[in-house]
Amino acid sequence: MTAHHSPLHPMTYSTRGADPATAPAFLAPLDQMGAGLPGSGLSWLTELRAAGRERFAAVGLPTIRNESWRYTNLRDLAKTSFQPAAPAAAIIDLLPTVRAEGQDGPRLVFVDGRFRADLSSVEGLPPGVDLLSIAAALNSHGDLLADHIGRLAAADDRPLVALNSAYLADGPVLHVPAGVQVERPIELVFVSVGSEAQATSCHPRSLLIAEAGSKAVVIEHHVGRGAGTTLANPTLANHVTEVFVGEGATLHHYKSQRDGAGAIHLSHIAATVATGGCYDNFILTTGAKLSRNEVVSRLDGTDARTHVSGGYLVRGSQHADTTTLIVHAKPNGTSREVYKGVIGDTARAVFQGKITVCPDAQKTDGYQLNRALLLSDGAEIDSKPELEIHADDVKCSHGCTAGELDDDALFYLRARGIDRDTAQGLLIGAFLSESLEEIAEESIRDAFQGIVAGWLEEQK
């Protein structure tokens, strides 16, 4: 078992360590679809795409020479020719949901990055709430998109955001007007089907806007076709999400990543929270061969709050990277971060969590915890917690541990007639419960607990 704890030093998101030589292989096949992208007549979007392409062409993929990518190597991506995923008409009989059987509710479905109207519904939304695809919103909500897309997720210092911007084609848009409470969870489903003939990629963009005093719950499901997605023909999903939480608004944003065994899942979430607002994020990772979830939450108003938590369960040769940055920019902000992971076989997990307190952010209260459970001698966790504080009246703490299952607890359970696999599952479930308790919505917490239970059953 291997646990690495790096000394504290600033996390950089600069493009130092990127590799321009990797850019042409990515850009050439994607350029073929340039003329067919939606909204090609909009000047702001044309400029955004052009700037993204130019930036990615100049820097290429990040490498391990970039400090924030030190533990996650994308060299295999550079060796693969990813063709743009074609619009998929695949028959999909069963979609993941947190709803009880027979219940309906708002849901948008994207297959290989493209909207599927036949699988989607806006039923149950209050009047005035907009839930639609970017491709459709470019025609009906062009000003809204122009005002928000590209404001938070900057292409200049993140090559994968630049790549996403260059080929921005589709994804969900949610706009909740001021004062509106959305009672039913809004489900966003992303299905990776891929191709038997070649490796494919898609670059979905999501925009979530909760205006002042509003409230909504969003649950993302990311799923693949399992064994059908092989390492020989992987799928690459390069997601970017921008989140705007207005004054006094609350947005609960939950994500389950269960992509297929050969999938590559890269995600960047950038959120900003105004005065008195709350952005609540939770990510549960169990799928994909290689995954990286970046979450950047900026508290840009007094008394703003953010919860950035999650869990990861990986085995085999999976690699799961969680990289977070919480920026306290104004006074009286509160942040809480609880991540727990379970790593088996020769899998590897990465946790990089940074809290930055700006000079004006007095009375900040920040808490961060990362704990990992290593189930085998070949399992590995690289953990890098960081605090960067430029104010003198703050309360910030962080903790980081990695270890094995408690032999005494395991012996205690087995002495009472519980077989080893069941006993181990009980201890792992108890270990993860602290992070799952961070999920405020009961139905989603129960659904995520079910995913954990399924993973443990497969582990036997």
Side-chain angles (χ1 to χ4, degrees):
M1 302 182 184
T2 308
H4 297 159
H5 300 281
S6 298
L8 299 185
H9 46 75
M11 179 188 296
T12 174
Y13 290 98
S14 74
T15 52
R16 182 187 309 166
D19 184 3
T22 60
F26 267 83
L27 296 176
L30 292 171
D31 281 344
Q32 299 172 13
M33 66 177 189
L37 293 173
S40 57
L42 299 173
S43 59
W44 68 268
L45 185 54
T46 299
E47 292 172 4
L48 180 73
R49 286 170 174 157
R53 191 195 183 286
E54 180 181 2
R55 187 58 176 162
F56 187 78
V59 299
L61 293 173
T63 72
I64 57 174
R65 295 191 302 275
N66 183 312
E67 180 58 34
S68 72
W69 287 87
R70 177 180 176 186
Y71 303 112
T72 297
N73 199 326
L74 300 183
R75 62 175 178 268
D76 288 341
L77 271 69
K79 301 174 184 176
T80 305
S81 177
F82 288 96
Q83 301 300 312
I91 296 175
I92 299 173
D93 297 323
L94 186 64
L95 291 168
T97 182
V98 297
R99 306 187 204 283
E101 187 175 353
Q103 282 189 343
D104 294 320
R107 176 177 67 186
L108 295 190
V109 179
F110 296 83
V111 179
D112 284 338
R114 298 301 180 95
F115 177 59
R116 283 283 295 268
D118 59 316
L119 301 173
S120 303
S121 170
V122 294
E123 182 177 345
L125 287 175
V129 175
D130 294 310
L131 178 65
L132 68 169
S133 72
I134 280 181
L138 287 170
N139 295 321
S140 60
H141 296 70
D143 290 344
L144 180 73
L145 270 57
D147 289 343
H148 291 86
I149 288 183
R151 274 185 53 195
L152 301 181
D156 56 353
D157 60 351
R158 291 179 174 85
L160 291 167
V161 172
L163 184 64
N164 178 284
S165 297
Y167 302 99
L168 191 159
D170 215 346
V173 176
L174 171 66
H175 177 226
V176 185
V180 174
Q181 309 276 312
V182 183
E183 300 298 332
R184 296 188 184 186
I186 297 166
E187 295 190 304
L188 306 176
V189 183
F190 299 87
V191 183
S192 293
V193 173
S195 168
E196 295 289 353
Q198 58 194 4
T200 59
S201 70
C202 62
H203 304 270
R205 189 70 160 235
S206 300
L207 177 62
L208 309 178
I209 304 169
E211 301 283 7
S214 66
K215 181 179 179 181
V217 178
V218 175
I219 166 69
E220 291 186 27
H221 306 274
H222 296 259
V223 294
R225 57 176 184 164
T229 304
T230 66
L231 289 176
N233 292 305
T235 58
L236 166 62
N238 176 32
H239 294 262
V240 172
T241 302
E242 292 176 285
V243 181
F244 295 82
V245 180
E247 291 190 12
T250 298
L251 182 64
H252 299 282
H253 184 196
Y254 305 121
K255 173 179 173 179
S256 165
Q257 189 277 99
R258 291 184 285 167
D259 274 321
I264 300 161
H265 180 99
L266 305 174
S267 170
H268 177 79
I269 298 173
T272 183
V273 188
T275 297
C278 177
Y279 176 60
D280 176 27
N281 176 280
F282 188 98
I283 300 174
L284 178 62
T285 295
T286 59
K289 174 68 174 176
L290 183 152
S291 65
R292 176 174 167 113
N293 284 294
E294 293 181 355
V295 182
V296 178
S297 184
R298 181 180 176 88
L299 301 182
D300 227 358
T302 304
D303 295 310
R305 294 170 291 133
T306 192
H307 303 154
V308 177
S309 298
Y312 46 92
L313 301 95
V314 288
R315 58 189 168 208
S317 58
Q318 284 181 278
H319 181 106
D321 180 331
T322 299
T323 295
T324 68
L325 173 63
I326 297 173
V327 179
H328 289 263
K330 296 295 173 62
N332 298 307
T334 302
S335 65
R336 179 175 175 84
E337 182 171 12
V338 177
Y339 262 93
K340 286 198 168 185
V342 177
I343 307 114
D345 302 323
T346 59
R348 182 180 185 185
V350 177
F351 175 81
Q352 302 181 106
K354 182 175 182 179
I355 298 174
T356 296
V357 181
C358 298
D360 292 338
Q362 303 293 345
K363 304 294 184 180
T364 284
D365 186 353
Y367 173 79
Q368 180 192 94
L369 174 69
N370 173 236
R371 288 180 179 165
L373 192 59
L374 303 170
L375 301 182
S376 69
D377 291 339
E380 182 176 340
I381 173 72
D382 296 291
S383 191
K384 187 175 71 174
E386 300 181 71
L387 297 177
E388 183 180 39
I389 301 174
H390 301 282
D392 53 14
D393 186 7
V394 302
K395 182 172 68 174
C396 291
S397 64
H398 65 149
C400 176
T401 61
E404 308 172 37
L405 283 171
D406 188 326
D407 287 337
D408 291 339
L410 192 60
F411 176 81
Y412 177 86
L413 291 174
R414 297 199 66 193
R416 276 145 184 81
I418 300 175
D419 66 86
R420 182 179 181 83
D421 287 342
T422 301
Q424 180 171 283
L426 289 171
L427 293 175
I428 293 173
F431 171 79
L432 289 169
S433 63
E434 183 178 1
S435 62
L436 291 170
E437 286 300 319
E438 296 296 311
I439 301 174
E441 297 296 314
E442 183 178 359
S443 63
I444 297 175
R445 184 168 63 247
D446 291 344
F448 279 22
Q449 287 173 338
I451 294 171
V452 170
W455 188 92
L456 292 173
E457 186 65 27
E458 294 173 359
Q459 181 77 7
K460 292 182 179 180

